[in-house]
Amino acid sequence: MSRFSPLDASAPATLYHDGHCPFCRVEVNWLSQHHHQDRIRLVDIQSDEFKATHGRGEFEAMMGLLHVKDSQGNWYIGMEASRALYAVLGYRRLVWLSCLPGLKGALNWGYRWFARRRVRLGQWWEKRSSRSS
């Protein structure tokens, strides 16, 4: 797989997201209103329909890292999933830049750091947001 493989992602792509995650909900809300929303499908891995058709191991893996599956059946995981999603939405130049040496490694590291802490950060963010309301 080349470092630019997310640019090959084909629409429609399916984004598997955590509907309980505050950050995911903000992103999914934006995606559902995007002018190219027809290029993506959004699947909440917390929904009963998802749990009924997928094994627990798969669910745990998807809770740890973002997953995108394109129309050709290719899977993109972690930061590669974000890149594939944004390529499908038309942000190809931005994705290309994010694949450059140095920047790619830094973004991958930042994604892994955030993914490991997103639940705790999301709880803090929601508490902070409710206090300021």
Side-chain angles (χ1 to χ4, degrees):
M1 193 178 266
S2 93
R3 74 170 170 226
F4 295 104
S5 61
L7 289 167
D8 298 331
S10 57
T14 303
L15 169 67
Y16 295 89
H17 65 91
D18 176 5
H20 293 174
C21 170
F23 300 114
C24 300
R25 287 193 306 261
V26 169
E27 181 81 0
V28 165
N29 184 50
W30 178 77
L31 290 169
S32 67
Q33 297 173 28
H34 194 277
H35 64 281
H36 290 305
Q37 69 183 14
D38 59 321
R39 296 180 184 178
I40 56 172
R41 289 184 50 237
L42 303 168
V43 174
D44 181 356
I45 65 171
Q46 295 284 2
S47 73
D48 291 335
E49 294 80 32
F50 180 82
K51 288 180 184 177
T53 59
H54 295 78
R56 182 155 178 79
E58 189 172 342
F59 174 77
E60 295 300 327
M62 288 183 164
M63 282 295 289
L65 296 169
L66 193 63
H67 284 64
V68 167
K69 184 177 181 182
D70 75 2
S71 65
Q72 302 299 310
N74 299 311
W75 283 94
Y76 301 89
I77 300 170
M79 188 63 196
E80 295 299 293
S82 292
R83 288 182 179 104
L85 177 68
Y86 284 96
V88 165
L89 289 174
Y91 300 103
R92 297 179 58 75
R93 287 184 186 159
L94 185 62
V95 171
W96 184 85
L97 284 172
S98 79
C99 292
L100 294 176
L103 188 54
K104 181 174 184 167
L107 289 171
N108 289 353
W109 179 88
Y111 174 84
R112 285 189 306 272
W113 183 91
F114 176 78
R116 284 192 301 269
R117 295 162 178 85
R118 72 178 173 81
V119 172
R120 196 168 51 244
L121 288 170
Q123 291 167 345
W124 170 82
W125 185 54
E126 281 187 323
K127 287 177 187 174
R128 188 169 179 259
S129 296
S130 66
R131 276 189 241 147
S132 62
S133 298

